[in-house]
Amino acid sequence: SKESEARLTAGAFTHMFTPLRNAFTAAAKRGEIRGINPNVLTGIFLSIMDSIEFSGHGPNTPTREEMVEDVISVLLHGVSIDSQ
């Protein structure tokens, strides 16, 4: 129902989006990350985390925890060899 959808959306925003946005905002204020729009950064992060489900199939698939660590590493350090 529309009401259930609205409650789910509000809950996701309150319990997922907002805390992540606050963490990114605080990190930017501490000079730990670039000053990227925190709403955009949070949306990117959640989209990438959601996509892990699609890469978690097949032989030699890393554990979910390993995938999460890799995603966070790429977000924080990029993909270049110099960023390790």
Side-chain angles (χ1 to χ4, degrees):
S1 76
K2 292 270 186 194
E3 183 179 302
S4 295
E5 182 181 336
R7 279 197 323 260
L8 183 60
T9 300
F13 187 82
T14 299
H15 299 290
M16 290 176 60
F17 192 92
T18 300
L20 281 169
R21 183 186 61 204
N22 292 345
F24 288 134
T25 300
K29 285 181 182 177
R30 291 189 303 268
E32 297 172 348
I33 62 173
R34 292 187 298 131
I36 300 168
N37 181 308
N39 292 331
V40 172
L41 187 55
T42 302
I44 291 168
F45 182 82
L46 289 172
S47 295
I48 291 171
M49 297 309 287
D50 188 47
S51 71
I52 285 178
E53 184 63 33
F54 296 107
S55 60
H57 304 289
N60 303 317
T61 300
T63 66
R64 190 166 187 80
E65 290 78 21
E66 290 170 327
M67 286 188 272
V68 169
E69 286 178 24
D70 284 345
V71 167
I72 292 170
S73 176
V74 167
L75 284 172
L76 292 176
H77 308 292
V79 296
S80 70
I81 293 171
D82 296 335
S83 66
Q84 294 179 349

